[in-house]
């Protein structure tokens, strides 16, 4: 009897890993399908066979131009931004041990927004490709400042101190953005099209510029899965298990900066993706960060591209920006998560 009980636990563990791996493969398959759907669906109706032919054999037709220069970059940017936001949100919640945390708590999005407003108002930057570098620089500067403030003094860097520092800096930057846009109406007119959050109108150049930052951010974030599992037991328990707490938080802040900064630079500040996706993932696979992080980076772009497709369909021949659709979807889910405390446990 004792031996059979002893063997059943490893069997259940192995079965659970197999199911999670299969679920991840299913998610990847769904992601491929929704990416193809994103290339197919648009204001101009195209047959799927025509879309498939143009993808592999482009020509000089109008359909080929629409697919190769508009829909493919839009879809690839949605994949990049979705992966970055989902992974950044899961990482933020693991680092702060706050189930309602998202990348905005570190002030990354407002850092990018403030840098873009300054670039528009005082440097005359007007293109999406030009916004990228300013947004990344603003996100990086704010993240460094938040970390320095969060570690200042005699106390160690704690999740609470980092969140408080991020909230304070975010409030100051929000005031700066409002002041500049009020004083410079032309800057406001350009900024308001970026701040709503959109995948439309971004050239392939933007996708290529963001790719290295997203790739490095993904690699750093995934490398922190095991330390985050140990830190979930508390800082002291994490240290006892051999985790370098300060280094883990610094690398986590770096990954969040790269991921959220790149996504914000390319698509604008899109909320709720990094908040609700990790919640849904933990309902599926539990709190183990070795599964939460990969699942988040697969399911988040599915949600983002799905919202973008919905925005194109419901308002034809016009379209709703993806940032608006995500909020419409995410707000009710957020309310449910906030009301059901059982779902908000890390």
């Amino acid at each position: 009897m004792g031996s059979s009980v002893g063997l059943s636990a490893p069997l259940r563990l192995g079965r659970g890993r197999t199911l999670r791996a299969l679920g991840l493969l299913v998610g990847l398959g769904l992601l491929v399908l929704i990416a193809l759907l994103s290339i197919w669906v648009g204001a101009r109706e195209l047959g799927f066979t025509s879309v498939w032919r143009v993808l592999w054999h482009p020509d000089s037709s109008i359909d080929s131009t629409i697919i190769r220069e508009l829909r493919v970059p839009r879809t690839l940017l949605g994949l990049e931004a979705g992966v970055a936001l989902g992974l950044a949100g899961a990482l933020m919640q693991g680092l702060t041990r706050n189930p309602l945390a998202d990348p905005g708590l570190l002030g990354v999005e407002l850092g990018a927004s403030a840098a873009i407003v300054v670039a528009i108002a005082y440097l005359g930057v007007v293109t999406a490709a030009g916004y990228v570098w300013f947004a990344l620089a603003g996100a990086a500067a704010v993240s460094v400042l938040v970390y320095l403030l969060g570690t200042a003094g005699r106390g160690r860097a704690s999740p609470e101190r980092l969140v408080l520092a991020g909230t304070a800096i975010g409030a100051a930057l929000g005031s700066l953005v409002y002041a500049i846009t009020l004083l410079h109406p032309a800057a406001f007119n350009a900024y308001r099209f970026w701040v709503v959050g959109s995948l439309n109108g971004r050239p392939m150049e933007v996708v290529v510029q963001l790719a290295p930052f997203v790739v490095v951010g993904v690699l750093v974030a995934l490398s922190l899965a095991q330390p985050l599992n140990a830190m979930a037991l508390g800082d002291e328990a994490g240290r006892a298990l051999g985790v370098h707490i300060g280094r883990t938080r610094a690398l986590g802040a770096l990954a969040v900066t790269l991921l959220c900064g790149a996504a914000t630079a390319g698509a604008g500040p899109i909320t709720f993706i990094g908040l609700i996706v990790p919640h849904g993932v933990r309902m599926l696979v539990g709190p183990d960060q070795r599964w939460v992080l990969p699942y988040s980076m697969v399911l988040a772009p599915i949600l983002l591209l799905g919202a973008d497709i919905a925005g194109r369909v419901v308002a034809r021949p016009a379209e709703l920006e993806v940032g608006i659709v995500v909020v419409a979807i995410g707000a009710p889910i957020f309310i449910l998560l906030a009301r059901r405390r059982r779902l908000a446990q890390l």
Side-chain angles (χ1 to χ4, degrees):
M1 176 68 72
S3 61
S4 64
V5 173
L7 289 173
S8 63
L11 287 174
R12 287 196 301 269
L13 181 61
R15 190 180 300 114
R17 288 176 178 172
T18 301
L19 289 175
R20 292 187 182 100
L22 288 175
L24 194 58
L25 289 175
V26 171
L28 287 170
L30 183 58
L31 180 58
V32 171
L33 289 176
I34 203 164
L36 290 174
L37 188 63
S38 175
I39 297 173
W40 177 27
V41 175
R44 181 184 177 93
E45 294 187 8
L46 301 173
F48 186 79
T49 54
S50 300
V51 173
W52 187 258
R53 176 182 55 79
V54 167
L55 284 176
W56 299 105
H57 303 286
D59 51 40
S60 58
S61 65
I62 295 178
D63 291 351
S64 180
T65 301
I66 291 173
I67 293 170
R68 305 285 292 191
E69 296 185 11
L70 297 177
R71 295 188 186 177
V72 169
R74 181 174 188 160
T75 300
L76 292 178
L77 179 60
L79 290 172
E80 278 187 344
V83 166
L85 291 172
L87 195 52
L91 188 58
M92 271 295 301
Q93 292 176 14
L95 284 171
T96 63
R97 298 196 293 275
N98 179 354
L100 298 181
D102 71 352
L105 283 181
L106 283 185
V108 176
E109 290 182 351
L110 277 169
S113 298
I116 286 178
V117 167
V118 170
I120 293 172
Y122 300 109
L123 301 178
V125 178
V126 295
T127 65
Y131 295 158
V132 169
W133 301 108
F134 290 97
L136 287 169
V142 170
S143 294
V144 171
L145 183 58
V146 167
Y147 191 79
L148 290 176
L149 290 177
T151 56
R154 297 181 178 179
R156 297 178 181 271
S158 66
E160 294 80 10
R161 295 182 68 181
L162 292 173
V163 169
L164 286 174
T167 302
I169 293 174
L173 290 175
S175 299
L176 175 64
V177 168
Y178 288 134
I180 293 176
T181 53
L182 284 174
L183 294 173
H184 297 82
F188 173 74
N189 288 333
Y191 173 71
R192 66 191 177 97
F193 289 108
W194 175 84
V195 76
V196 73
S198 176
L199 304 177
N200 189 28
R202 273 58 167 179
M204 184 63 77
E205 180 185 1
V206 172
V207 177
V208 174
Q209 286 175 334
L210 297 179
F213 300 97
V214 175
V215 170
V216 174
V218 167
L219 294 176
V220 173
L222 293 179
S223 72
L224 299 177
Q226 192 62 45
L228 288 175
N229 280 339
M231 288 171 58
L233 303 173
D235 287 0
E236 295 303 322
R239 291 189 185 94
L241 293 172
V243 176
H244 194 296
I245 303 298
R247 182 172 59 195
T248 299
R249 289 208 176 104
L251 289 174
L254 172 63
V256 170
T257 299
L258 292 172
L259 294 168
C260 190
T264 305
I270 298 176
T271 57
F272 284 113
I273 293 284
L275 175 62
I276 62 178
V277 169
H279 274 283
V281 168
R282 285 194 295 272
M283 291 173 60
L284 291 173
V285 301
D288 189 343
Q289 296 293 337
R290 293 173 298 178
W291 292 104
V292 171
L293 296 178
Y295 264 83
S296 295
M297 63 181 289
V298 171
L299 297 185
I302 292 175
L303 175 59
L304 184 60
L305 287 176
D308 188 45
I309 293 169
R312 293 183 237 174
V313 171
V314 299
R316 272 182 175 174
E319 65 178 58
L320 290 175
E321 305 295 351
V322 67
I324 299 173
V325 180
V326 168
V327 170
I329 296 172
I333 298 176
F334 177 78
I335 293 171
L336 289 175
L337 292 173
R339 288 177 60 85
R340 299 181 64 181
R341 296 179 59 187
R342 180 177 62 85
L343 301 183
Q345 300 300 315
L346 283 171

